[in-house]
Amino acid sequence: MTQPHTPWRQHALIQAVFFLMGAELFLASPLLPTISGDFGTSIAATAWVVTVFGLSYAIASPLVGALTEHLPRRRVILSGIAVFATGELLCALAPGLGWLLAARAIGGIGGALVGPAMWAYLAETAAPHERGRAIARGSAAYAGGQIVGVPLATFAAAGSSWRFAFAAVALGLVAAGTLIALRLRESVRATASSGRPLSALRSSFGLWKVGVFRTIMAGNFFVQAARLGTYAYAGALFATKFGFETGVLGLVGMVVGIGSLIGSMVSGPLIDRWSSAGRHVSELSVGWGLVLAVALGVAATAETWQVCVAGFVLAFFCGTAFFSTAQVYLTTVMAERRAPAVSWNNSVLYIGTGAGTTVLGLTTLGGTAFAVCSVAFALLAAGFSALSALRRPSPAD
């Protein structure tokens, strides 16, 4: 059923949750030294606090996305928020590292449950000519949360307890969940899928037989390897090449987050205008990928910190615009199976980040091989987007 108009007030409720998820993403890393000191554990062991969330999210996402596809979006969103908030609250109360890791895993499962359902909700309730803006505003809310997450974690680490940061996110999720329970209307689904678990899982894994799906996944894999794989070493890069201290690195993170926010806001209207003109949206992704390659090349080889910051800001502008564009295309061509498609996409994004970080870690920081690998990842993302544009399937709005 085609939506006559986009319910922006309903979307604002979803955007609030994306904002909190974005803030949570950047919480743990700045808190690692404080948590390590509290629990008397090594930094290496404590770093699993960051890793375990992504692992549980990546593993759980395709499973819960398939098993909940037949359920009402609103119910899945509320369930995911409840699990996510429980995980965050347990993080705040954790008596030791083992408990904290378990709580982070619970939070990851909650994120895997709520994320795909929210992206599917935005796509299903947006008017076709405004789908780009709807998806991009969700990305912008996520990026805005990242900007807030940095000072929140810094404040918690410097003056308050690290537990405060997790408790604040938990309370925010409870408030957002309450508003969603009271005000969010259910989306109109294109089709009703089978509720049988085995059938749902077969259908979900069957997505990998679809050529256009595989191509989209490949592009998103490489764009994450390029953008976040490279940014994983930004702190070390600024510290070793330019002598930046931890507090300044936090400001760099905020500036880069602003680049993501602007990229989301610019890409949304552009995607809608591009689609309305009858053009393939993946053509935009090709452009984003090519500029991303240039930006990362500049960031990785810059001789001054100002140029390096500018390179990362442009990279996150293009990377977020690429994500928004690919997400619109994915939720359009996979109209009947949006939630499991987005679930797989979320897993691919985490795996791409890990793969990019691993490969770049094998090179010399700031060296030629480091820059070449970073740029190559971005060019591969552009290349797979070009293949998507050439396929030109007929989207079902």
Side-chain angles (χ1 to χ4, degrees):
M1 178 179 177
T2 302
Q3 297 290 333
H5 63 276
T6 303
W8 295 116
R9 291 185 180 181
Q10 299 286 302
H11 283 201
L13 301 174
I14 300 296
Q15 291 161 12
V17 180
F18 275 130
F19 178 87
L20 292 166
M21 291 178 71
E24 205 280 344
L25 179 68
F26 279 5
L27 277 185
S29 294
L31 298 177
L32 292 182
T34 307
I35 296 172
S36 175
D38 249 15
F39 291 152
T41 55
S42 68
I43 291 291
T46 311
W48 277 96
V49 170
V50 177
T51 306
V52 74
F53 182 90
L55 282 176
S56 65
Y57 193 119
I59 294 171
S61 186
L63 298 177
V64 298
L67 295 175
T68 60
E69 169 62 8
H70 67 288
L71 298 176
R73 300 288 189 223
R74 181 173 174 276
R75 186 191 307 174
V76 177
I77 290 170
L78 287 172
S79 299
I81 290 173
V83 176
F84 201 173
T86 299
E88 295 299 296
L89 182 59
L90 291 175
C91 285
L93 300 174
L97 182 60
W99 288 95
L100 182 58
L101 294 178
R104 290 286 286 168
I106 293 171
I109 294 171
L113 187 59
V114 71
M118 292 196 301
W119 286 119
Y121 184 93
L122 293 180
E124 289 165 355
T125 57
H129 66 282
E130 294 179 326
R131 188 171 291 150
R133 272 169 282 188
I135 296 294
R137 288 182 184 184
S139 299
Y142 198 90
Q146 293 175 14
I147 298 171
V148 171
V150 172
L152 176 61
T154 304
F155 169 77
S160 181
S161 169
W162 59 267
R163 300 176 187 274
F164 166 80
F166 290 108
V169 174
L171 290 174
L173 287 168
V174 170
T178 301
L179 290 174
I180 286 173
L182 294 173
R183 298 183 180 180
L184 190 71
R185 295 190 299 270
E186 185 54 74
S187 67
V188 177
R189 306 287 292 280
T191 60
S193 59
S194 171
R196 296 177 180 177
L198 289 179
S199 297
L201 289 173
R202 279 197 296 267
S203 176
S204 178
F205 279 90
L207 288 171
W208 289 98
K209 297 179 181 179
V210 181
V212 66
F213 177 78
R214 294 196 303 269
T215 306
I216 296 171
M217 293 300 101
N220 287 345
F221 173 90
F222 284 111
V223 82
Q224 286 298 94
R227 180 178 60 146
L228 292 183
T230 305
Y231 187 68
Y233 298 97
L237 197 62
F238 280 104
T240 56
K241 288 186 71 171
F242 310 118
F244 278 29
E245 298 180 354
T246 304
V248 182
L249 291 175
L251 293 176
V252 171
M254 289 181 63
V255 173
V256 168
I258 292 171
S260 291
L261 179 64
I262 297 173
S264 298
M265 300 307 295
V266 169
S267 63
L270 181 58
I271 292 167
D272 290 333
R273 286 198 295 269
W274 200 268
S275 298
S276 297
R279 298 171 179 171
H280 200 297
V281 293
S282 288
E283 294 170 358
L284 283 175
S285 294
V286 175
W288 300 132
L290 292 175
V291 179
L292 174 64
V294 173
L296 289 175
V298 169
T301 59
E303 295 299 325
T304 65
W305 69 265
Q306 294 93 337
V307 174
C308 190
V309 169
F312 274 117
V313 169
L314 181 59
F316 269 70
F317 174 95
C318 293
T320 304
F322 186 107
F323 169 81
S324 297
T325 307
Q327 195 82 323
V328 169
Y329 186 46
L330 178 66
T331 55
T332 300
V333 297
M334 295 294 158
E336 297 182 1
R337 292 184 284 178
R338 284 189 177 105
V342 173
S343 298
W344 279 113
N345 188 51
N346 289 345
S347 291
V348 166
L349 295 177
Y350 275 102
I351 295 169
T353 301
T357 302
T358 301
V359 172
L360 290 170
L362 300 175
T363 67
T364 301
L365 180 65
T368 301
F370 183 92
V372 168
C373 286
S374 180
V375 170
F377 289 147
L379 292 177
L380 284 168
F384 279 105
S385 296
L387 288 178
S388 293
L390 291 173
R391 286 181 181 274
R392 293 190 175 275
S394 298
D397 286 324

